[in-house]
């Protein structure tokens, strides 16, 4: 199972509609650029690595849909569709990165058929590369888990955020694959419940024992000795902090208080070698995410809400960062990591 | 406004239906024992002190409803209704306490009219006493807050959990009443959202500035310097720990990490001078509280869930306990507190 893939036979992008999880598992077969843009905008596909692949496959799809036979007219045609896909979620850096990587690969094409071949190949390569990197993260991280361990995780850094395998959940999967019995405690991850909706679904689907808790219970389960380590993903890693889904910082402080290792699993592409925590503005999301659940009112309709999407965990609370290149103990050697990236 | 009161003119228990908040503010006029039992069972009225008053008013209501004129037949009649009320929520200690306190007060009555007078007076006294104690807690705690402070709180330890004023929110109200400008950060309090539904509504109703956050954000707002102190209520206080709504412990660890005072506001009746943390079994609630929101599925329908109702915060994380008798710094003098109680 891949979260997103491309079928050249039917000229369709196939993706798991994550908005339907956990109630329904449905694979969409997307055959137009408009439908792909709708799927991206509606978060039917989400997660930085998965969006990189979506961008790449979007350009590949465009090359199959275009009826142009003149390469001089074909390329601007594809560029228009590519821009449409890339601009669907302007802040999703990986989406545009995937689009541009495939456009660049087509640059040398002398004719339409060659352009199609190059686009398909490059898009497929983005997806395959992501799977390889997640597999390597998983194997590197698995060495940190012992048979019988319980891993607490937050949000969804799993298959559904990537093309396959996942980062934090990739570590769990690789450990299980190597024969270790691992249990997962999944924090529901308010306000959008990616933990309860997606991580619990993924683990159940793989037959890995998972227990759902509210985010506020992480302290209690740690104090009761129910957690051997914390493994989370990351949206961005600077030299001084890990940016990840809101709530990660609280878990990190609690892990430190209970002497529990706190691991971050993420590909090297997550590292930001330019900026520091202070330079990064954390996006605030819609107040209604906390005021409502569907149409049900959970709070006064006009109550003031603070709803940051992410928080920053200072590096001194992190035990190690797990990448495709290895397990990097903190303090990190950012120069070395920059060379590896 | 009182959360619960009794109108002898119309022989009705009047209570705010908390299940409708925040969408609707409705005062129920309850005229039968069956309706009162339904309101208690459905959590239309909740919170230990409010349930004590509900039990007392229930017996008072029974005395007005009974058509018996013979005191020998009247008393068993009332006792049957009283037992019906008390057994509606068997684990709510205060409910039975309120019922029995009023039954005992009627004991000396020589005739039905006298019994009614004694019951009404005693039930009213339970309610009035609760308000006086909350007011005293509020005034004692207010001395700890400075003009301009922001108080982080969890769950609802407010008017709606008591007859009026509240414990943790009583501290905020008394500080505001004394002229201090106080802001509140209310954690939504998963899974039942008493923070977002009730605390935010109460503060909005009083015109006290309140900001709603998810429980997982408390670490981030503390780290950003947005919190001057934490004030929470308590369900039970032993010599070594404070039992309160699940999530309280995580906030306490985070407050300690950020050098933020952590206060517990509760009446002396909350103290348990017999047991210690290890002796107390924490009730686990229904898994569907985390799996669903109304009919909406937030997690796989069969996922394993850990859903403790409360957690225990070891006393060394608590700065002080605020009661109607004063501000008691930790370490507590339990012998002295037992004398005061």
């Amino acid at each position: 199972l891949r979260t997103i893939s491309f079928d050249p036979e039917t000229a369709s992008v196939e993706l798991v509609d994550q908005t339907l999880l956990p109630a329904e598992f449905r694979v969409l077969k997307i055959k137009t650029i408009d439908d792909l843009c709708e799927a991206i905008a509606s978060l039917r596909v989400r997660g930085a690595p998965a969006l990189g692949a979506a961008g790449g496959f979007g350009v590949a799809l465009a090359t199959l849909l275009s009826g142009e036979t003149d390469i001089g007219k074909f390329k601007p045609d594809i560029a228009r569709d590519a821009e449409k896909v890339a601009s669907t979620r302007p802040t999703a850096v990986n989406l545009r990165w995937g689009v541009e990587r495939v456009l660049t690969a087509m640059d040398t094409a002398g004719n339409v058929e060659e352009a199609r071949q190059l686009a398909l190949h490059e898009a497929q390569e983005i997806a395959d590369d992501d799977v390889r990197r997640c597999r390597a993260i998983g194997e590197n991280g698995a060495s940190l888990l012992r048979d019988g361990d319980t891993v607490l995780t937050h949000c969804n850094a799993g298959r559904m955020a990537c093309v396959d395998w996942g980062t934090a959940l990739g570590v769990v999967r690789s450990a299980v694959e190597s024969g270790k019995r691992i249990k997962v405690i999944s924090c529901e991850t308010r306000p959008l419940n990616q933990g309860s909706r997606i991580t619990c679904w993924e683990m159940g689907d793989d037959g890995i024992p998972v227990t759902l808790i509210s985010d506020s219970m992480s302290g209690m389960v740690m104090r009761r000795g129910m957690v051997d380590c914390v493994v989370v993903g990351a949206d961005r890693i600077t030299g001084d902090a890990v940016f990840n889904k809101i709530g990660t910082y609280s878990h990190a402080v609690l892990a430190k208080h209970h002497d529990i290792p706190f691991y971050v699993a993420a590909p090297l592409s997550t590292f930001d070698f330019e900026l520091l925590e202070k330079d990064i503005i954390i996006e605030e999301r819609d107040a209604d995410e906390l005021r409502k659940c569907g149409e049900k009112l959970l709070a006064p309709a006009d109550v003031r809400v603070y709803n940051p999407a992410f928080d920053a965990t200072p590096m001194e609370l992190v035990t190690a960062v797990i990448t495709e290149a290895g397990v990097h103990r903190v303090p990190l050697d950012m120069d070395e990591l920059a060379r590896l990236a």
Side-chain angles (χ1 to χ4, degrees), chain A residues 164-276:
Chain A
D164 197 358
W165 210 244
T167 51
L169 297 187
V171 169
V172 171
R173 284 194 169 96
S174 294
V176 169
E177 195 178 51
S178 76
K180 293 174 185 166
R181 285 158 298 184
I182 305 293
K183 285 184 282 210
V184 171
I185 292 178
S186 170
C187 297
E188 63 171 339
T189 315
R190 294 281 297 154
L192 292 182
N193 288 71
Q194 294 94 335
S196 61
R197 289 194 303 110
I198 307 178
T199 293
C200 287
W201 178 84
E202 278 198 28
M203 293 292 93
D205 195 49
D206 275 16
I208 298 173
V210 61
T211 300
L212 170 63
I213 63 169
S214 72
D215 305 325
S216 69
M217 291 172 199
S218 67
M220 181 180 184
V221 295
M222 289 182 193
R223 183 158 180 259
R224 292 205 158 187
M226 294 159 71
V227 179
D228 295 294
C229 67
V230 179
V231 186
V232 296
D235 289 89
R236 193 194 300 226
I237 303 174
T238 60
D240 58 349
V242 173
F243 289 79
N244 191 43
K245 179 68 57 197
I246 183 67
T248 302
Y249 172 64
S250 291
H251 299 313
V253 171
L254 288 161
K256 178 67 102 182
H257 183 81
H258 295 91
D259 279 322
I260 293 171
F262 186 90
Y263 301 118
V264 175
L268 287 163
S269 59
T270 313
F271 279 91
D272 183 332
F273 298 103
E274 309 285 320
L275 304 179
L276 290 174

Side-chain angles (χ1 to χ4, degrees), chain A residues 48-49 94 129-130 132-134 136-137 157 162 166-168 232-237 264-273 321-325 328 337 341:
Chain A
N94 284 57
D129 187 51
D130 184 60
R132 279 191 299 270
R133 287 174 193 268
C134 281
I137 290 168
C162 307
T167 51
V232 296
D235 289 89
R236 193 194 300 226
I237 303 174
V264 175
L268 287 163
S269 59
T270 313
F271 279 91
D272 183 332
F273 298 103
V321 179
I322 305 158
T323 75
E324 63 271 42
H328 315 282
L337 285 161

